[in-house]
Amino acid sequence: MSALLWLVLVTAPPPPPPQVVVIATARGETSVPVATERGTAAVAAPRLGPPLGLTLALDGSRVTVGLSGVVFVFQLGAPFVRAGGVVYGLVGEPYVARDTVFLPLHWLADCVPRALGGRYRWEAASGGDAGRLVELPVASPVAAAAPPGAASAPPSPPALAPTPPLAPGPATPNPMTGLRLRHAVVIDPGHGGVDPGNPGRYFPGRLVEKDITLAVGRLLRAELVRRGIGASLTRSTDTLIDLTDRGAFCKADCDLFVSIHVNAMPEGRRADRVSGVETYFLSDAKTEDQQRVAQMENEAIRFETGTSTAATGPLGFILRDLQLNEYLRESAQLAQLVQDSAARIHPGGDRGVQQAAFMVLTTARRPAILVETGFATNRTDGAFLASSLGQHKIASAIADGIVAYLLEFERKLTIAAPARGR
């Protein structure tokens, strides 16, 4: 090496740090700023939510991130991340600054493509970019079976799967669930925005019902997606949605509606003794306790200031009556399967399947249930629901119940198909 070339190399200024990382999905491209304040490149986790559907939960020093059905667990200040049973080393550490969680860019560039093989590809930097994370299209079994030379349709963006056809057909079973059809579930995290829900006597810090329901709802969505079931949320942020508009999310492109709530007992000597999980379907309440729970949840209507899009008057009555009669049996079965699954992991015990007139269930055009995940007025239930482990357990248990119901649904379709062919 010549002395002149060596002098140029050692005296040349270092290249400027990358300014942005580009997230490229079927919905378009998003530029996310790159921070280097801690010496290594990092990105603000909330910025990744809209383009990737990423979910985030911070519990002390533990950061839990959900992406495409995979859960990543970080510890603040530690250069490692765990996904499933695999631990990945990181260049840089997750940290919190300005009330925002920052994740190492190395996680996005290296760990995500490795942990979600076939879903994302990392492309090296160009210009002032740090690089590009590209979402890859998911191959359709129909497209794969097309004859050579046939034109293939462009990949569709991720969305709710359509309602299954009347007959299952010869589709290959999902190796994780055994399901053969595509399904879609609408998840409704209760309350939100100016409606906090119940205050959570035994929740730590300033947590209230709306925080717990959103955390469980996000985890349930990630768990269903991991199992190959389409899932969407009525709210993914701290916002208020009218009660009658929530069920309306579940119409044509939806199989099931699941509303998530936290129970509470009124003030009294027994307030902190009652515990456990219970699951409701829409029907007339038969006990005072069922009426109490429905009234407590329906009181959220006092926070609503907008105009609901749900039908009212005689038309609304007819639609609600049709929904109640058409899906009563299916909703009861779904409630029983979800309740059985949740009760097995719940420290507060099994309070069984209940029925009551919940407004949030009246506009769903499919089988619909409401899960009271525990009592905020009970010390054991409150600690369970406020913990990351407890939220994961209840979300996984609800998902197990949903899968059990969908398997039974497909079995019924298989039995009914030959009868229709006669």
Side-chain angles (χ1 to χ4, degrees):
M1 181 184 296
S2 69
L4 179 59
L5 179 58
W6 177 84
L7 182 63
V8 170
L9 290 176
V10 298
T11 59
Q19 301 296 311
V20 297
V21 59
V22 176
I23 309 296
T25 72
R27 298 168 296 283
E29 294 190 357
T30 303
S31 294
V32 177
V34 175
T36 56
E37 58 191 322
R38 298 292 177 93
T40 55
V43 290
R47 294 270 193 158
L48 301 174
L52 292 176
L54 177 144
T55 62
L56 175 72
L58 177 61
D59 183 8
S61 63
R62 177 190 176 103
V63 180
T64 305
V65 172
L67 177 60
S68 297
V70 174
V71 176
F72 296 87
V73 180
F74 301 82
Q75 288 291 131
L76 295 178
F80 302 98
V81 61
R82 176 169 55 83
V86 181
V87 176
Y88 299 91
L90 296 172
V91 177
E93 303 167 350
Y95 61 90
V96 175
R98 301 175 297 282
D99 295 325
T100 301
V101 175
F102 285 81
L103 302 176
L105 179 63
H106 181 252
W107 168 73
L108 202 64
D110 182 71
C111 302
V112 168
R114 289 164 62 190
L116 287 89
R119 291 298 306 275
Y120 296 96
R121 178 181 69 245
W122 178 258
E123 297 180 351
S126 60
D129 294 345
R132 291 162 54 89
L133 184 70
V134 181
E135 181 185 52
L136 302 176
V138 179
S140 167
V142 175
S152 59
S156 301
L160 284 177
T163 303
L166 291 178
T172 303
N174 181 304
M176 183 177 294
T177 63
L179 293 170
R180 293 177 177 270
L181 303 178
R182 293 182 296 172
H183 298 280
V185 177
V186 170
I187 304 161
D188 172 47
H191 307 279
V194 296
D195 173 18
N198 76 68
R201 180 189 303 173
Y202 290 111
F203 291 155
R206 298 182 179 179
L207 287 179
V208 292
E209 180 180 3
K210 68 175 182 178
D211 304 315
I212 302 299
T213 61
L214 183 56
V216 173
R218 287 172 169 171
L219 291 171
L220 175 56
R221 180 188 181 277
E223 186 63 29
L224 291 175
V225 170
R226 185 178 72 86
R227 302 181 191 206
I229 299 171
S232 65
L233 297 168
T234 58
R235 68 177 183 97
S236 56
T237 58
D238 185 16
T239 188
L240 178 66
I241 301 173
D242 287 353
L243 285 176
T244 52
D245 287 342
R246 292 173 182 254
F249 279 78
C250 186
K251 289 186 177 178
D253 295 335
C254 170
D255 297 312
L256 305 173
F257 179 81
V258 180
S259 192
I260 308 296
H261 289 261
V262 178
N263 218 330
M265 288 296 292
E267 292 294 336
R269 289 183 300 176
R270 294 183 61 250
D272 60 351
R273 300 180 188 177
V274 180
S275 65
V277 60
E278 56 190 19
T279 306
Y280 284 80
F281 63 94
L282 180 64
S283 190
D284 294 331
K286 291 186 175 181
T287 68
E288 290 185 4
D289 196 55
Q290 292 173 350
Q291 291 175 343
R292 175 192 63 79
V293 176
Q295 182 178 356
M296 177 181 66
E297 303 297 2
N298 290 343
E299 281 180 355
I301 197 171
R302 73 182 189 272
F303 294 99
E304 300 175 6
T305 57
T307 302
S308 171
T309 59
T312 59
L315 176 59
F317 176 81
I318 293 171
L319 290 176
R320 285 190 292 274
D321 188 60
L322 287 172
Q323 193 274 346
L324 178 60
N325 287 293
E326 183 176 2
Y327 296 113
L328 178 62
R329 181 177 299 177
E330 293 297 315
S331 296
Q333 182 186 15
L334 172 62
Q336 188 65 64
L337 291 169
V338 168
Q339 177 66 23
D340 290 345
S341 180
R344 284 194 289 269
I345 57 87
H346 203 286
D350 181 1
R351 290 179 58 85
V353 171
Q354 312 287 343
Q355 61 186 65
F358 290 95
M359 291 178 61
V360 72
L361 302 181
T362 59
T363 52
R365 300 271 75 85
R366 293 292 185 270
I369 60 172
L370 185 147
V371 184
E372 293 284 0
T373 55
F375 283 79
T377 46
N378 177 269
R379 189 181 301 274
T380 300
D381 282 14
F384 176 72
L385 294 175
S387 70
S388 176
L389 178 61
Q391 292 167 6
H392 276 86
K393 280 187 173 182
I394 197 73
S396 181
I398 295 173
D400 287 343
I402 290 172
V403 169
Y405 171 84
L406 292 174
L407 285 169
E408 179 63 15
F409 173 71
E410 290 190 0
R411 186 189 68 81
K412 291 176 182 177
L413 289 181
T414 303
I415 294 173
R420 284 195 299 271
R422 296 193 187 112

